[in-house]
Amino acid sequence: MAAKNLFGVIYMSTAKLEMLIVSLKPLHVVEHMASAKFVQRMDKSKIYQNELGKIIFSLQGFQQVLKDYGVKRYHFWASQQLIDDVTARYLAEQIEVRTGLAVTWLSTSQINFLRATALMGGTKLFHKIAERSTYLLSIGSVAATLSHFDHGQFVHAWNIGLGYLEIDQLTNDLRHAATDVSGIISDYISSKLQALRHRLEAEGREANLILQDFSHFNDMLLQPGEDIAPMTQQQFQAIEQDNLHASQEYLRHHFKMDETAASRVIPSLLIIRQIISMTHAGHLYLTRLNILNGLALHQAAKDGFLKTDFDGIIRTVAENRARRYQSDDAHRAITLKLALHLYDQLRKLHRLGQRERLLLEIGVRLEDLGNFIQAHGHYRHSAYIIEANPVIGLSDDENEIIAEIARYHSAEAPEVRQHHYSHLGADIQMTVAKLVAIVRLADAMDDSRQQKIKSISVSVREDAVTITAHSMENLALEEWAFQRKAKLFREVYGIPAVLKQRRSLKK
């Protein structure tokens, strides 16, 4: 196998380090390795710091294996779910000094995205399964995630405060104080699921449920090399009956696992049972495909071996959210068309890339969510909604950028005296300012919400950017709004933006 097609995926979760060596062209896993598990102490935010020696040792071992395979290209990602930005920078520096590896930290939103795309791009069977309503359940150290697919498309993801570390703490607190530990944990799980229960039960449709990365079940029911397979209701019920009231000692020997892993079997069963009920799951599946597979798929797409448009999932999620909040479809569509046209024509001025173009697009799709709450000050409400519900697939910084696009697209402009703008890092401030300056122009050109301007032409000169609007209608309101909102453009880019009208239709 040609080493040039091999790529190394290294991922550090709050539980352990893992590495895949993948042949990207056929998407074949050549090697899979894992470190010893991290000790799950009560101080959750200190897991990486406490295990730094183990992390360095494992990474150095991975690097030797990569060298043995002749792998020249590899990357190191890690979950940032338990640590703040400052701690992440300290750890990244410590790791890079000792191993030479730079770490890319992943947010909860990105991790959920990778879990979903691992299935969407990793197996043909998934697309057959997901033609009907399908849910994907994953339980991690920090949270449980339930993702919803319908007609083969990603719809939504919910983060649920049911991470294993939280349940570990509850179990330890109850161990010497209660006799019915399972009953109390079941009630605790039910309370965490209550808000989601009403929404899911209202669906009323029979669905599929895929259980992702439940290793103790996978080892029992999946064949070697099998990535996804059905699990019958009878099989799940048999596992429940055998293990739901079993002792920790029995579970350790039965599943051949350590004490920490054994303590999580019963909570897993309780969560799965309640999710089955809430989603009306008639068919169950197990899958081994996980975050590492998702990272490999994205690298294959980046290298041109895979034609899947993963960014399309982010667009779909944003569009679904805009419709759920009853955003004006016609205004959103024309503002997006004009904003993207401006972005493409102004590349020499803004010098941003394709990723920032996607952020502009998502920001425009979500800028009017706040009208659902109240029209007055809707831009602030839009930002709050985005901050409270990050867009899947975007980093924390990227979600912050689209929240700021929504906040400043209308009446307010980003200024140093604006708290939400002044607290941003310098690089993020500049990206926000450049994108918002463009979005404000596009939004002004449909200020009447009547789509009077169907198309524009853009001329970029040393002394001005001239935007010619092709329209047969009266643009007095749009011209007034444009003059007001173009002030930021001049501040950011150093030249004025001028709107002119040509009374002809250009499609």
Side-chain angles (χ1 to χ4, degrees):
M1 186 174 294
K4 67 178 182 179
N5 289 331
L6 296 181
F7 184 81
V9 175
I10 304 172
Y11 176 66
M12 180 170 69
S13 70
T14 56
K16 60 184 174 181
L17 273 156
E18 290 184 86
M19 182 178 73
L20 291 183
I21 297 178
V22 184
S23 179
L24 293 175
K25 192 170 183 178
L27 276 174
H28 171 68
V29 176
V30 177
E31 183 69 75
H32 177 210
M33 299 179 65
S35 72
K37 290 184 179 179
F38 301 154
V39 177
Q40 307 288 298
R41 294 181 174 89
M42 287 300 100
D43 188 353
K44 297 181 286 186
S45 65
K46 296 290 186 182
I47 288 175
Y48 292 149
Q49 293 96 316
N50 293 334
E51 296 287 9
L52 187 60
K54 188 181 295 181
I55 290 168
I56 300 303
F57 178 79
S58 299
L59 288 173
Q60 290 171 341
F62 290 170
Q63 287 175 301
Q64 183 59 52
V65 174
L66 290 165
K67 184 178 179 180
D68 292 344
Y69 272 94
V71 179
K72 302 294 185 183
R73 295 195 307 139
Y74 48 89
H75 196 79
F76 175 33
W77 291 269
S79 166
Q80 197 188 328
Q81 290 178 300
L82 286 178
I83 57 174
D84 57 40
D85 289 341
V86 174
T87 303
R89 285 195 289 271
Y90 291 163
L91 280 166
E93 179 76 10
Q94 293 162 16
I95 291 170
E96 188 167 8
V97 165
R98 291 164 173 80
T99 68
L101 284 170
V103 59
T104 298
W105 294 105
L106 298 175
S107 68
T108 299
S109 169
Q110 291 171 300
I111 288 169
N112 290 342
F113 183 65
L114 290 163
R115 288 185 184 280
T117 54
L119 278 167
M120 296 181 77
T123 173
K124 293 179 180 178
L125 178 59
F126 171 78
H127 295 282
K128 182 177 180 180
I129 295 169
E131 278 304 309
R132 64 187 299 178
S133 183
T134 298
Y135 294 89
L136 171 67
L137 175 64
S138 306
I139 306 176
S141 296
V142 179
T145 302
L146 188 68
S147 302
H148 185 209
F149 305 84
D150 204 3
H151 295 95
Q153 297 294 317
F154 183 93
V155 179
H156 193 66
W158 297 274
N159 291 319
I160 309 162
L162 284 172
Y164 283 129
L165 293 177
E166 192 79 20
I167 295 173
D168 288 349
Q169 186 169 347
L170 176 64
T171 303
N172 287 331
D173 290 345
L174 293 173
R175 187 164 291 165
H176 303 295
T179 54
D180 186 13
V181 174
S182 294
I184 295 174
I185 293 174
S186 181
D187 289 344
Y188 178 78
I189 290 168
S190 183
S191 70
K192 291 288 186 178
L193 294 173
Q194 191 60 34
L196 188 56
R197 187 184 307 278
H198 297 300
R199 179 164 184 174
L200 296 182
E201 289 181 346
E203 287 279 322
R205 293 184 292 164
E206 185 174 271
N208 301 314
L209 177 62
I210 303 174
L211 307 177
Q212 185 177 54
D213 220 12
F214 287 82
S215 58
H216 37 288
F217 301 154
N218 291 347
D219 293 341
M220 292 173 62
L221 299 175
L222 289 181
Q223 298 299 315
E226 196 171 31
D227 290 328
I228 185 169
M231 177 171 69
T232 67
Q233 293 278 4
Q234 290 76 19
Q235 286 174 320
F236 178 73
Q237 289 166 7
I239 293 172
E240 270 191 309
Q241 290 171 3
D242 288 345
N243 301 291
L244 194 55
H245 301 290
S247 68
Q248 295 298 301
E249 191 67 22
Y250 172 82
L251 294 172
R252 284 179 59 193
H253 289 291
H254 182 62
F255 290 106
K256 297 180 175 62
M257 55 176 54
D258 60 33
E259 184 177 354
T260 299
S263 70
R264 296 172 176 179
V265 172
I266 292 174
S268 297
L269 291 169
L270 293 170
I271 293 170
I272 293 168
R273 170 50 62 200
Q274 293 201 38
I275 294 293
I276 288 173
S277 174
M278 290 164 56
T279 58
H280 309 283
H283 297 86
L284 306 178
Y285 296 85
L286 290 171
T287 183
R288 284 196 180 97
L289 296 171
N290 58 21
I291 295 168
L292 281 90
N293 302 98
L295 289 166
L297 284 165
H298 282 262
Q299 187 63 43
K302 184 178 178 181
D303 287 0
F305 294 121
L306 194 65
K307 301 304 180 185
T308 304
D309 177 21
F310 291 114
D311 288 345
I313 299 170
I314 301 173
R315 295 185 182 95
T316 299
V317 169
E319 190 65 17
N320 288 342
R321 186 175 299 180
R323 290 174 179 168
R324 187 164 64 250
Y325 282 88
Q326 300 174 16
S327 179
D328 184 335
D329 290 349
H331 174 67
R332 184 170 69 257
I334 192 62
T335 304
L336 181 59
K337 177 182 176 181
L338 298 176
L340 291 177
H341 185 74
L342 284 170
Y343 185 91
D344 293 340
Q345 295 301 309
L346 298 174
R347 286 186 182 277
K348 289 184 179 179
L349 284 181
H350 60 65
R351 297 181 300 167
L352 299 174
Q354 284 300 111
R355 190 65 178 181
E356 289 82 5
R357 189 181 192 273
L358 175 65
L359 297 180
L360 177 140
E361 180 179 347
I362 302 305
V364 171
R365 290 184 189 275
L366 300 180
E367 66 183 24
D368 284 337
L369 297 183
N371 280 322
F372 185 83
I373 299 174
Q374 186 177 340
H376 178 68
H378 75 280
Y379 43 90
R380 295 191 193 109
H381 299 310
S382 296
Y384 297 153
I385 291 170
I386 295 167
E387 288 166 347
N389 301 275
V391 176
I392 191 169
L394 302 183
S395 69
D396 289 342
D397 284 349
E398 289 171 335
N399 269 296
E400 197 161 28
I401 288 169
I402 65 169
E404 298 309 292
I405 290 172
R407 189 188 311 280
Y408 296 121
H409 82 277
S410 184
E412 297 178 356
E415 299 175 356
V416 174
R417 61 187 177 87
Q418 288 273 352
H419 166 71
H420 290 283
Y421 184 68
S422 63
H423 87 284
L424 300 173
D427 290 345
I428 296 178
Q429 280 184 343
M430 199 62 201
T431 301
V432 167
K434 287 180 176 181
L435 296 179
V436 167
I438 293 170
V439 170
R440 286 170 70 87
L441 298 185
D443 191 70
M445 285 188 278
D446 192 42
D447 203 66
S448 67
R449 302 299 196 267
Q450 295 179 32
Q451 296 77 58
K452 296 176 184 177
I453 299 171
K454 305 299 182 184
S455 64
I456 57 173
S457 301
V458 182
S459 173
V460 183
R461 297 187 177 181
E462 290 292 327
D463 58 344
V465 170
T466 302
I467 300 168
T468 303
H470 302 271
S471 176
M472 298 294 291
E473 301 189 50
N474 185 337
L475 299 181
L477 178 59
E478 282 73 18
E479 289 170 349
W480 172 81
F482 189 95
Q483 289 177 0
R484 184 169 58 91
K485 292 188 175 183
K487 293 177 183 177
L488 177 65
F489 189 91
R490 183 163 195 161
E491 289 178 14
V492 173
Y493 293 105
I495 56 175
V498 179
L499 179 64
K500 293 184 177 181
Q501 181 176 4
R502 178 172 294 170
R503 291 187 175 276
S504 63
L505 291 178
K506 182 180 178 181
K507 295 182 179 179

